[in-house]
Amino acid sequence: MSSPSDVLAPRVTAAIAAAFGDDHPDLRDADPVLRPSQYADIQANAALAIAKRVGMPPREVAARIVEHLDVGDVCSEVEISGPGFVNLTLSDGWVSAEVAVVAADDRLGVPVQSPQTIPIDYSAPNVAKEMHVGHLRTTIVGDSLARTLEHLGHHVVRQNHIGDWGTPFGMLIEHLLDVGDGSPEADLLVTDPNAFYQSARAKFDSDDTFQSRSRSRVVALQAGDVDTLVTWDRLVGMSKTYFNLIYGTLGVTLTDADLAGESTYNDELKGICDELEDAGIATISDGALCVFLDGYTGREDKPVPLIIRKSDGGYGYGTTDLATIRYRVQELKADRILYVIGATQALHLNMVWDTARKAGWLPDDVTPIHVQIGNVLGADRKILKTRSGDSLRLMALLEEAVGNARRVIDAARPDLDEPVRAAIAPQIGIGAVKYADLSVAHSSEYVFDLERMLALTGNTGPYLQYAAARIRSIFRAAGLDVVTPEEEARRLVVREPGERTLALLLLQFGSVVTAVGDELEPHRLCGYLFDLAQAFSSFYESCPVLKADDAETRESRLGLCALTLRVLVQGLDLLGVESPEQM
Ligand code: ARG
């Protein structure tokens, strides 16, 4: 069970070797590019590149390749076209047999890769602050990557590096002590953390005694004062409650067990600085301990340092990130380390990695990867920070999405019972937000536009959910179960163009999921699922299913419907998007 290109590529390679390998040993192992074409199922255009090498017109090269090409068991037609393309048409028999293999496979053709340990650093909001849309995006993209890599057989270790340490904590702790546990002010931490932060900040800016209390509190916190730590812990606990509300609403897989916040690394920081200083990698500059690395210069070629201990003795973001990499390599035994964080942090990460390499904490066989997260913009194309004048509360944004989805489902399916519509609305609303986030390349910016996200047409979550629900309704209408045992017994016979296009896409699911895991690009899966849903739509228009001409055709088409549904549902699940039963 493999995608057509996977099957045909080695055959073309063999044909090239047989045709030209004797005279040109470098062509014994050619890696031809095969791609879907509008003129045939697959097109190989190896001839053009080879022509130059062997000094022969491309069409002649193509003819020589075809002469040696052994694809009788796979293709019904092989044809040379244009300047020297080889067009390959897969035989209906081969397509039917392959698609049946996928249908019989629990994994739907997705291979299990040789397992790696992959820590994924994602979400990472800050305590006592609102999560912003950037956090929303890393949470959604990171979670989809975690699901996909896990499904491919890897050992994923979720690392939620929350901001739970640093100077603002003196002020936050003092404010919590002032307002008192259980007060409405304190409860803001769970409902509107920005409001809590803002009042602490306002007091800090206007009240000198509060300011000096806050400063001493930081010192007490860093010294490990027990009472201070108790209050700090409550503050963090309430923030966790808030994060978990958001995670629950979003349906992401993060739990408290995945928390590995900045404070986790406190005990490591001094040792990290000492080791780097002893090794001569870090040096004191203007009172701060800094690492200067080749190739990092700012204005007027001034070297940019990675500051690992400030002149006041405090440690910074860079120091904790050195600790993350050491921990992930040494303790977690990572093979690949993913940092799903803002694109603007690229410089920071590269400096951290280069420092870690110098220190011997990041060996060559461990690959750190920055999965860059692009900005989410408002309608004004500025970073989305406010909505209708208020500052942005993520929970309010998600509630708005669900509310709008409710209106969509109310309009589309007034016949459904009220509780059913109430249950479907969050699946659509949250699915729409997540899908919109995932369907653009993670490093590109996009405009947050609820109306477009919720559209029932186009490359949207609801369009895919609708395609899945529609297939379910076909089975409901026929009084049939979607999945096995009937389904395994269903004989798949692919004949009509609508059936073929759909079947060929179904054969590609495995290689698409593999590519998403390798390239860390969920938008490829979105693009694939969108193509699949569209192909299903055309198939369904041109090929009657329940009213097919004969029982055999009906069975086969039901089989294609069932497989399409399973692939859609599995694909959406890898994206973290639910599939409503009805829409
Ligand atoms: N808390 C940080 C922020 O809100 C993100 C942390 C990302 N992870 C890391 N290891 N640096 O910007």
Side-chain angles (χ1 to χ4, degrees):
M1 159 191 41
S2 340
S3 78
S5 319
D6 292 345
V7 172
L8 291 171
R11 309 280 185 104
V12 177
T13 302
I16 295 170
F20 303 104
D22 288 344
D23 298 334
H24 304 269
D26 59 316
L27 288 177
R28 276 184 210 145
D29 215 11
D31 194 5
V33 180
L34 269 62
R35 52 173 165 236
S37 140
Q38 68 188 113
Y39 306 107
D41 294 322
I42 302 278
Q43 186 170 74
N45 61 0
L48 275 70
I50 294 172
K52 283 190 215 118
R53 200 98 56 85
V54 302
M56 221 187 250
R59 274 190 79 97
E60 245 168 73
V61 171
R64 288 272 295 267
I65 295 175
V66 169
E67 237 169 76
H68 291 86
L69 191 61
D70 176 16
V71 290
D73 54 333
V74 181
C75 296
S76 55
E77 221 180 294
V78 178
E79 198 187 54
I80 298 167
S81 83
F85 299 130
V86 178
N87 284 349
L88 301 158
T89 303
L90 301 159
S91 74
D92 289 346
W94 186 83
V95 175
S96 305
E98 287 297 302
V99 85
V101 175
V102 176
D105 177 17
D106 282 344
R107 297 185 53 81
L108 301 168
V110 178
V112 176
Q113 297 190 314
S114 100
Q116 289 188 328
T117 295
I118 310 177
I120 309 185
D121 185 318
Y122 71 101
S123 194
N126 301 312
V127 165
K129 279 204 200 153
E130 181 58 83
M131 280 197 211
H132 55 66
V133 282
H135 291 124
L136 177 70
R137 201 167 180 196
T138 136
T139 305
I140 292 170
V141 171
D143 209 55
S144 165
L145 291 176
R147 289 166 187 262
T148 306
L149 290 166
E150 236 154 30
H151 188 63
L152 285 165
H154 298 294
H155 173 47
V156 168
V157 192
R158 293 165 176 75
Q159 294 281 284
N160 192 356
H161 191 70
I162 59 169
D164 60 357
W165 203 257
T167 31
F169 280 86
M171 160 189 108
L172 293 166
I173 290 172
E174 279 303 313
H175 186 52
L176 181 56
L177 288 170
D178 283 0
V179 298
D181 254 340
S183 66
E185 263 287 295
D187 288 346
L188 284 177
L189 280 165
V190 184
T191 53
D192 190 359
N194 254 4
F196 182 91
Y197 190 93
Q198 296 307 339
S199 19
R201 183 83 228 178
K203 226 195 305 178
F204 187 87
D205 290 339
S206 62
D207 177 340
D208 287 346
T209 48
F210 181 74
Q211 203 176 102
S212 63
R213 273 199 279 141
S214 300
R215 294 197 201 286
S216 333
R217 193 54 80 178
V218 179
V219 178
L221 181 66
Q222 269 154 2
D225 171 61
V226 175
D227 288 342
T228 302
L229 281 174
V230 167
T231 313
W232 169 80
D233 201 51
R234 269 208 308 280
L235 192 71
V236 175
M238 281 191 272
S239 283
K240 280 189 211 166
T241 306
Y242 178 70
F243 302 154
N244 286 334
L245 279 171
I246 299 269
Y247 296 154
T249 305
L250 281 175
V252 297
T253 57
L254 285 168
T255 68
D256 281 356
D258 307 313
L259 287 168
E262 293 176 9
S263 68
T264 331
Y265 302 99
N266 283 348
D267 294 343
E268 316 277 313
L269 307 181
K270 183 181 179 306
I272 284 182
C273 291
D274 290 348
E275 211 176 312
L276 290 175
E277 196 171 8
D278 291 347
I281 297 169
T283 47
I284 303 280
S285 166
D286 286 336
L289 187 60
C290 301
V291 179
F292 290 97
L293 297 155
D294 292 342
Y296 295 93
T297 47
R299 258 186 246 151
E300 291 164 16
D301 272 351
K302 267 185 79 178
V304 176
L306 179 72
I307 300 177
I308 56 171
R309 196 180 60 222
K310 294 179 234 166
S311 51
D312 65 4
Y315 305 107
Y317 190 51
T319 333
T320 12
D321 259 331
L322 283 168
T324 63
I325 202 129
R326 214 170 61 155
Y327 171 73
R328 291 165 193 178
V329 171
Q330 292 176 2
E331 306 295 323
L332 298 180
K333 311 253 178 284
D335 296 297
R336 264 192 278 176
I337 308 175
L338 273 45
Y339 289 83
V340 187
I341 62 186
T344 50
Q345 296 194 34
L347 178 70
H348 160 79
L349 277 184
N350 281 302
M351 294 186 84
V352 166
W353 298 343
D354 279 351
T355 304
R357 284 190 186 101
K358 266 189 141 174
W361 299 329
L362 180 57
D364 287 343
D365 58 350
V366 180
T367 320
I369 302 161
H370 183 189
V371 179
Q372 302 202 355
I373 296 298
N375 290 329
V376 183
L377 310 177
D380 57 0
R381 299 203 63 89
K382 295 203 178 100
I383 293 181
L384 186 64
K385 280 210 175 104
T386 63
R387 228 170 143 67
S388 49
D390 306 332
S391 75
L392 187 82
R393 278 180 54 233
L394 199 51
M395 199 48 115
L397 195 71
L398 298 179
E399 278 161 9
E400 191 181 340
V402 174
N404 290 7
R406 179 62 201 259
R407 280 195 287 282
V408 169
I409 187 78
D410 283 352
R413 296 298 305 274
D415 57 309
L416 293 177
D417 288 345
E418 203 286 322
V420 175
R421 279 178 279 132
I424 295 175
Q427 295 183 305
I428 298 179
I430 299 299
V433 170
K434 291 175 95 173
Y435 189 87
D437 214 302
L438 292 163
S439 59
V440 274
H442 56 71
S443 55
S444 313
E445 52 185 27
Y446 76 92
V447 173
F448 193 95
D449 177 354
L450 273 181
E451 202 177 317
R452 191 184 49 79
M453 293 174 181
L454 282 163
L456 289 170
T457 52
N459 188 8
T460 67
Y463 175 71
L464 294 182
Q465 290 174 321
Y466 174 71
R470 182 152 126 187
I471 300 177
R472 287 195 159 110
S473 76
I474 298 171
F475 283 88
R476 245 194 320 272
L480 291 171
D481 285 336
V482 178
V483 195
T484 53
E486 305 98 280
E487 183 216 343
E488 268 176 27
R490 273 181 202 128
R491 282 202 42 223
L492 297 170
V493 191
V494 170
R495 268 187 298 247
E496 301 290 321
E499 296 170 329
R500 286 186 107 256
T501 310
L502 182 61
L504 287 175
L505 275 166
L506 290 166
L507 291 185
Q508 283 162 37
F509 183 56
S511 55
V512 170
V513 174
T514 303
V516 171
D518 291 345
E519 309 296 330
L520 309 171
E521 290 179 338
H523 75 275
R524 291 184 184 220
L525 180 54
C526 297
Y528 165 81
L529 293 174
F530 180 50
D531 289 345
L532 182 66
Q534 284 184 307
F536 178 79
S537 205
S538 320
F539 155 81
Y540 195 58
E541 263 163 44
S542 58
C543 304
V545 177
L546 297 177
K547 296 206 171 85
D549 288 343
D550 53 78
E552 194 198 330
T553 309
R554 181 183 135 116
E555 274 306 286
S556 168
R557 288 182 183 165
L558 276 169
L560 286 174
C561 290
L563 183 55
T564 305
L565 175 63
R566 286 163 69 206
V567 169
L568 280 173
V569 171
Q570 171 75 79
L572 286 172
D573 185 62
L574 295 178
L575 297 171
V577 174
E578 288 183 58
S579 308
E581 286 290 322
Q582 313 185 56
M583 254 177 93

